[in-house]
Amino acid sequence: MEHLKIFTQLIASELHLQEHAVENTLKLLDEGCTIPFISRYRKERTGGLDEVQITAISNRLTGLQEIAKRKETVVKTITEQGKMTAELQKRINDCWESTTLEDIYLPYKPKRRTRAQVAREQGLEPLATLLMLQREQHPETAAKRFVKGDITDTEQALQGAKDIIAEQVSEEERSRNQIRSAFRREAFIVSKVVKAKKDTDEAAKYSDYFDWEEPLKRCSSHRLLAMRRGESEGILQVSITIDDDEAVSRLQRNYVRGNGACQRLVAEAVEDGYKRLLCPSIETEFANLSKEKADEDAIKVFTENLRQLLLGAPLGQKRVMGIDPGFRTGCKVVCLDAQGNLLHHEAIFPHPPVNHRMQATVHVQQMIADYHIEAIAIGNGTASRETKDFVVDTLKSYPTTPTLPKIFVVSEDGASVYSASATAREEFPDEDVTVRGAVSIGRRLMDPLAELVKIDPKSIGVGQYQHDVDQTKLKHSLDQTVESCVNLVGVNLNTASQHLLMYVSGLGPVLAKNIVDYRRENGAFTSRAQLKKVPRLGPAAFQQCAGFLRITEAKNPLDNSAVHPESYAVVEQMAKDCHCSVADLISNKEKRSQIDIRHYVTDTIGLPTLTDIMKELEKPGRDPREQIEEFEFDPNVQTTEDLHEGMELPGIVTNITNFGAFVDIGVHQDGLVHISQLADKYVSDPTQVVRLHQHVRVRVLEVDLRRHRISLSMKGVSQ
């Protein structure tokens, strides 16, 4: 890899990591290894770096490669102008910071026709140089020599010279760094309402920012993104400012020496350069930097929420009834087998205005009996509380059985997006969107990860200003998160959908489709080795994916574990040394306790990998996700009118942002637990206190019916 040494040193220094670990990680990434594969199966080479560290290395590598590419353009442009020098070439070669690189390039960067360029074409550069020397006592007299052609008088000549000086000042690195430092120290972000929009309905949600000012360095990401959204909608005017007079005065001290006519002209040029060129440029730079930082914070919140959602507790392979609740259009009910296949669907109308409650009760009871339903998943949207109450009543009147189905309320965010998608049409070409949505709700209960990977993460409803952030960076980060979660859990090779398989390390859309096609034509896989027969799945892809795929009924029990095929030989040797089979080694704790893993260390397998193998033999293919829990809202609270201050209620965390957590308390309107109300101690990051879909208890602080806002607190509330 080009620049490997310098990239290694820069990344190791920035991330405070060992150089050899970074270098090996960069080499593995260059070889096409995925982040999940490196973190799990190459610990010896990376010194045990985790996914977060490897992701940081990968992201920084991308940034440095972009700078390297930009350098090529810079060098080519300056060289073609005939202005490249050995010193300038060295400065560019040694520079790995994009802002500095752009400052170096700025004087040589091709521009649209500026006032300074026009002045140079008119032959006024010598006059500008004369003024900058500040020795001429009568600059007007000197300017007379330049009155010719398009220059009609000395005033025009002097103005052209000042334009040249203004541009020079604005492009000098010293000037730019000086103003940059001022912005870094003392910049304020200011937001004002556009008067014409002040009293409109769409402006009301931005009322907090109609006359707002705060230091830029203290502006939180959610406030900045809110202001920028208001600006893009034409409701707010947002600017970043410093003390202009002080900034001009500092700059003039760099360029103006003494008093006199020349000095006065140079001072005017410096002020013009600052106000017309330099300040707008640095303001734009800081607007972009602050937006990038806000984007990073928002993307971090989104990815953490998505991770928690994807790793939500699964019910497992049970026969499930999925219900998409509704009033006027009724509730769409589906019955699924333990693999999530659709067995039956119908609509029931237990609520007004149709209100066929008795008929609906009979139908639900009949479906439970006919399809041996073990659990019921109800979407959390419109009519969710009412539908759950109906199902509870239905089960109460159900003929006595050893076990009644358990009831779970499931988030239906994004279900409508899935139901209208090409994926849903492919899965259920003969069913309408309501049936597909109900199937998605049922499957989410069985395995949230397997179902949610089919939906664009931005449609799942767990973000913060997700449509305002850099969409390329957001997609990259979300894709990495999905890949991380899928590979952490592992995938059943014989039941996984194409959508789930495409996130497995080393696969992607084409190989995922080829695996599903091969499975359809040849039946279930009986070993991981069979993967090598899948079209286009070569040795490199097999190495990357095999450890993350599980075969539950495989002849070799290691095929249903996270032990990589490249390590099968060492496990077989362990079993041989214990005079038993691999299956015996897995089932017999006493046999495993006899193993001293130090005896199996080789040039390629070290203690980290051997330790992981022993953990896996203890619980092969274990699911790292938590067990699912049932939940009940307070039966006495149905609407916001039922709420009063001081009331303590159970709730479910539905979304987490930088400023707090939103909690569903069963009144069709989520309440906000502000970050200051999350705990009895100071909280800087809400994710350290709560997680998505966590069951919590909250106290009602305030109910604002007009603005549809509910303020909640977890302070002093026992959890």
Side-chain angles (χ1 to χ4, degrees):
M1 183 200 295
E2 194 181 2
H3 306 303
L4 176 61
K5 187 175 180 182
I6 186 68
F7 285 0
T8 297
Q9 291 170 345
L10 287 167
I11 294 172
S13 174
E14 286 177 26
L15 302 180
H16 309 293
L17 298 172
Q18 296 290 324
E19 282 193 17
H20 70 87
V22 173
E23 183 176 349
N24 286 338
T25 301
L26 292 176
K27 287 178 179 175
L28 288 164
L29 289 167
D30 191 48
E31 290 164 15
C33 296
T34 67
I35 292 170
F37 176 82
I38 296 168
S39 67
R40 183 169 306 182
Y41 297 116
R42 290 297 180 263
K43 289 180 179 176
E44 285 79 3
R45 287 186 65 181
T46 68
L49 295 182
D50 61 27
E51 265 198 42
V52 174
Q53 292 167 313
I54 296 167
T55 300
I57 291 171
S58 174
N59 291 343
R60 188 65 185 111
L61 171 64
T62 302
L64 290 171
Q65 287 172 329
E66 287 172 0
I67 292 173
K69 195 171 180 183
R70 179 63 173 159
K71 282 187 183 186
E72 292 174 10
T73 302
V74 170
V75 169
K76 183 170 180 284
T77 305
I78 297 174
T79 304
E80 285 174 353
Q81 293 174 10
K83 296 178 181 177
M84 183 60 76
T85 64
E87 183 187 355
L88 185 55
Q89 181 73 62
K90 185 177 186 309
R91 284 203 70 200
I92 295 168
N93 291 345
D94 293 345
C95 176
W96 291 100
E97 208 280 314
S98 58
T99 302
T100 306
L101 179 63
E102 293 305 323
D103 278 356
I104 294 170
Y105 182 39
L106 188 58
Y108 309 96
K109 190 175 182 178
K111 308 175 185 69
R112 57 184 175 78
R113 206 151 172 265
T114 64
R115 280 163 50 173
Q117 262 179 301
V118 172
R120 288 189 186 98
E121 289 165 9
Q122 292 170 336
L124 295 173
E125 193 152 23
L127 179 58
T129 304
L130 189 72
L131 293 181
M132 282 298 282
L133 289 172
Q134 299 173 48
R135 294 174 188 159
E136 187 67 50
Q137 292 191 1
H138 303 288
E140 289 84 359
T141 304
K144 285 179 182 176
R145 299 200 306 271
F146 297 89
V147 177
K148 55 189 172 183
D150 292 336
I151 306 299
T152 57
D153 55 38
T154 56
E155 188 178 335
Q156 189 182 353
L158 290 170
Q159 183 57 54
K162 287 198 294 182
D163 288 342
I164 293 170
I165 294 170
E167 186 171 276
Q168 286 173 347
V169 168
S170 73
E171 291 182 350
E172 275 200 6
E173 282 185 68
R174 180 176 60 165
S175 301
R176 299 184 72 78
N177 284 330
Q178 189 173 12
I179 301 306
R180 213 173 260 132
S181 295
F183 268 82
R184 204 173 287 121
R185 285 192 316 270
E186 60 200 51
F188 274 74
I189 185 164
V190 179
S191 171
K192 304 284 184 187
V193 67
V194 175
K195 285 194 167 53
K197 299 285 186 76
K198 185 174 183 179
D199 298 319
T200 60
D201 290 341
E202 61 265 28
K205 59 187 173 185
Y206 298 109
S207 58
D208 289 346
Y209 304 106
F210 281 2
D211 189 14
W212 181 267
E213 182 178 305
E214 70 174 314
L216 180 64
K217 58 187 175 186
R218 291 202 207 126
C219 184
S220 65
S221 65
H222 62 271
R223 286 201 299 275
L224 190 136
L225 290 171
M227 284 185 261
R228 291 299 180 194
R229 180 187 284 181
E231 182 182 40
S232 67
E233 292 178 9
I235 292 162
L236 302 177
Q237 287 179 329
V238 182
S239 59
I240 297 171
T241 64
I242 59 172
D243 185 330
D244 288 337
D245 292 340
E246 179 61 29
V248 169
S249 182
R250 283 191 204 127
L251 273 180
Q252 286 173 338
R253 285 198 288 272
N254 293 338
Y255 295 97
V256 181
R257 296 182 297 278
N259 295 303
C262 269
Q263 285 83 349
R264 178 178 53 77
L265 292 170
V266 171
E268 289 170 2
V270 170
E271 183 173 1
D272 176 49
Y274 169 80
K275 289 183 175 176
R276 182 167 55 85
L277 303 169
L278 185 50
C279 183
S281 171
I282 302 299
E283 181 184 348
T284 300
E285 186 180 300
F286 272 75
N288 292 337
L289 285 171
S290 60
K291 174 68 165 56
E292 282 176 25
K293 175 68 169 59
D295 283 2
E296 281 175 23
D297 290 348
I299 290 170
K300 184 182 174 187
V301 170
F302 199 144
T303 53
E304 182 53 37
N305 283 351
L306 179 64
R307 175 178 294 279
Q308 292 178 17
L309 192 65
L310 294 174
L311 296 179
L315 180 67
Q317 294 192 325
K318 305 282 186 184
R319 298 173 76 88
V320 168
M321 175 183 287
I323 304 178
D324 187 358
F327 288 116
R328 185 180 54 81
T329 56
C331 302
K332 185 62 71 173
V333 183
V334 298
C335 298
L336 310 174
D337 68 14
Q339 283 71 47
N341 298 309
L342 177 63
L343 303 174
H344 172 79
H345 68 83
E346 65 179 82
I348 59 172
F349 295 86
H351 312 305
V354 182
N355 210 7
H356 292 162
R357 195 175 182 90
M358 284 302 298
Q359 186 185 57
T361 298
V362 172
H363 280 231
V364 169
Q365 290 178 346
Q366 191 62 51
M367 283 185 274
I368 290 171
D370 291 349
Y371 299 102
H372 312 291
I373 297 300
E374 298 170 272
I376 298 172
I378 301 170
N380 69 342
T382 305
S384 175
R385 285 290 299 272
E386 293 80 0
T387 302
K388 184 179 178 185
D389 291 342
F390 157 73
V391 172
V392 168
D393 291 343
T394 297
L395 293 182
K396 282 178 184 173
S397 62
Y398 192 74
T400 305
T401 60
T403 54
L404 286 171
K406 291 185 176 181
I407 304 169
F408 300 90
V409 175
V410 177
S411 168
E412 60 180 58
D413 282 332
S416 59
V417 174
Y418 161 76
S419 62
S421 68
T423 305
R425 290 197 298 274
E426 190 178 320
E427 283 192 277
F428 303 105
D430 301 323
E431 308 298 347
D432 67 19
V433 290
T434 61
V435 174
R436 297 171 191 160
V439 169
S440 182
I441 288 167
R443 286 177 172 177
R444 286 186 193 199
L445 176 62
M446 299 166 73
D447 189 343
L449 178 61
E451 193 61 21
L452 290 171
V453 293
K454 301 173 187 174
I455 303 169
D456 180 353
K458 285 188 292 183
S459 303
I460 298 177
V462 294
Q464 173 193 351
Y465 297 100
Q466 60 261 43
H467 301 294
D468 300 298
V469 302
D470 186 304
Q471 296 300 294
T472 304
K473 288 181 181 176
L474 177 62
K475 185 179 187 309
H476 175 68
S477 187
L478 295 179
D479 285 346
Q480 279 187 334
T481 302
V482 176
E483 182 184 39
S484 169
C485 292
V486 168
N487 291 288
L488 175 68
V489 172
V491 170
N492 186 320
L493 181 55
N494 286 321
T495 61
S497 67
Q498 181 181 328
H499 254 79
L500 189 57
L501 286 167
M502 66 187 273
Y503 285 105
V504 172
S505 167
L507 293 183
V510 173
L511 289 179
K513 183 177 186 303
N514 290 354
I515 287 172
V516 172
D517 291 345
Y518 182 90
R519 194 171 67 194
R520 191 182 298 120
E521 292 166 15
N522 299 281
F525 286 87
T526 56
S527 73
R528 281 170 168 167
Q530 251 184 294
L531 281 163
K532 295 175 181 177
K533 297 180 182 178
V534 173
R536 299 180 67 177
L537 203 155
F542 178 80
Q543 180 199 52
Q544 294 298 307
C545 75
F548 302 102
L549 296 168
R550 311 276 184 268
I551 303 171
T552 51
E553 303 300 325
K555 183 178 177 183
N556 186 340
L558 295 178
D559 281 349
N560 191 36
S561 75
V563 177
H564 197 282
E566 65 190 11
S567 298
Y568 283 9
V570 74
V571 180
E572 287 158 5
Q573 186 61 50
M574 288 175 180
K576 186 178 178 184
D577 293 346
C578 290
H579 309 291
C580 66
S581 67
V582 171
D584 292 336
L585 196 63
I586 290 170
S587 61
N588 193 322
K589 185 178 180 181
E590 192 177 326
K591 291 278 187 189
R592 292 196 305 275
S593 67
Q594 298 170 14
I595 296 171
D596 183 351
I597 58 174
R598 290 173 296 179
H599 295 159
Y600 300 94
V601 174
T602 67
D603 291 342
T604 54
I605 296 183
L607 288 174
T609 295
L610 291 166
T611 301
D612 283 351
I613 288 171
M614 295 307 293
K615 283 180 187 172
E616 195 59 29
L617 294 179
E618 190 180 329
K619 286 185 180 178
R622 66 194 182 283
D623 194 322
R625 294 174 289 184
E626 295 179 355
Q627 293 295 306
I628 197 165
E629 299 174 357
E630 289 183 85
F631 176 82
E632 289 285 343
F633 288 118
D634 189 317
N636 300 312
V637 175
Q638 299 285 334
T639 68
T640 50
E641 283 78 9
D642 297 330
L643 299 174
H644 59 78
E645 290 179 22
M647 182 182 275
E648 285 194 12
L649 299 167
I652 299 176
V653 178
T654 57
N655 199 1
I656 301 171
T657 69
N658 277 339
F659 53 85
F662 288 93
V663 177
D664 182 359
I665 52 176
V667 295
H668 307 297
Q669 172 68 50
D670 288 355
L672 172 65
V673 183
H674 189 266
I675 189 168
S676 62
Q677 295 292 328
L678 279 171
D680 294 317
K681 59 182 181 181
Y682 172 75
V683 177
S684 60
D685 179 1
T687 60
Q688 294 174 348
V689 180
V690 289
R691 66 182 188 281
L692 215 58
H693 290 180
Q694 181 181 344
H695 299 171
V696 295
R697 287 195 66 80
V698 294
R699 185 174 64 257
V700 178
L701 292 180
E702 183 185 358
V703 182
D704 186 338
L705 295 175
R706 189 182 67 82
R707 298 173 79 187
H708 304 290
R709 289 185 180 178
I710 303 168
S711 298
L712 305 171
S713 176
M714 288 169 58
K715 275 187 170 184
V717 182
S718 55
Q719 299 298 321

